[in-house]
Amino acid sequence: MPFIIGTSIPEDKVLVQSVSHIYGIGLSQSKILCKKAGFGSDSRGSNVTFVKGKNLENLAEDTPLPLGADLRRFKNDKIRRLCALSTYRGLRHKKGLPVRGQRTHTNAKKRLILKFHAN
């Protein structure tokens, strides 16, 4: 089972879908990466050799955007900064309420449930 940017690639799944499991890479970006690395649209994780896996990982790391743990860290730092500045969005994050103006009277059940189960 190959690892690319800290994410395991299952051997039985289609490679394009497996690469899209990497945090920060969507389906269209994974199609582009697999095509550049020389994999077909029906390639599976079992077709990835060590050399081809390294080539795919190098192509993914050459993208200008952060991926994987770097992207998670960047997003969490942004949220922590908003909370530290006590902005409106930061307070909504702290309280576990919807951040982007959604209503809370009838919707936002998932966000509210996560708030109460986190404590």
Side-chain angles (χ1 to χ4, degrees):
M1 184 178 301
F3 279 87
I4 298 175
I5 308 179
T7 305
S8 62
I9 303 297
E11 294 182 357
D12 57 336
K13 278 193 172 184
V14 177
L15 187 63
V16 174
Q17 291 177 347
S18 299
V19 172
S20 69
H21 285 103
I22 298 171
Y23 193 74
I25 295 180
L27 192 59
S28 62
Q29 184 71 20
S30 71
K31 286 179 185 177
I32 293 168
L33 288 174
C34 289
K35 192 173 183 180
K36 283 183 181 177
F39 292 105
S41 61
D42 60 341
S43 296
R44 299 203 174 260
S46 58
N47 298 353
V48 179
T49 61
F50 181 76
V51 175
K52 284 190 171 186
K54 279 293 182 188
N55 185 21
L56 187 61
E57 186 170 6
N58 289 337
L59 286 171
E61 287 177 348
D62 287 343
T63 59
L65 301 173
L67 299 173
D70 293 335
L71 180 59
R72 279 196 178 100
R73 194 175 310 110
F74 178 72
K75 288 175 88 172
N76 288 334
D77 287 344
K78 279 178 58 176
I79 292 172
R80 271 192 223 107
R81 184 181 58 84
L82 289 172
C83 291
L85 293 173
S86 296
T87 61
Y88 180 75
R89 283 175 52 201
L91 294 175
R92 300 293 282 186
H93 273 292
K94 276 184 188 176
K95 292 178 182 178
L97 295 169
V99 177
R100 297 185 177 176
Q102 296 93 335
R103 61 181 289 151
T104 57
H105 181 69
T106 57
N107 297 337
K109 302 291 186 202
K110 184 174 184 180
R111 182 76 183 172
L112 292 172
I113 289 172
L114 290 175
K115 174 190 166 204
F116 291 116
H117 285 286
N119 294 334

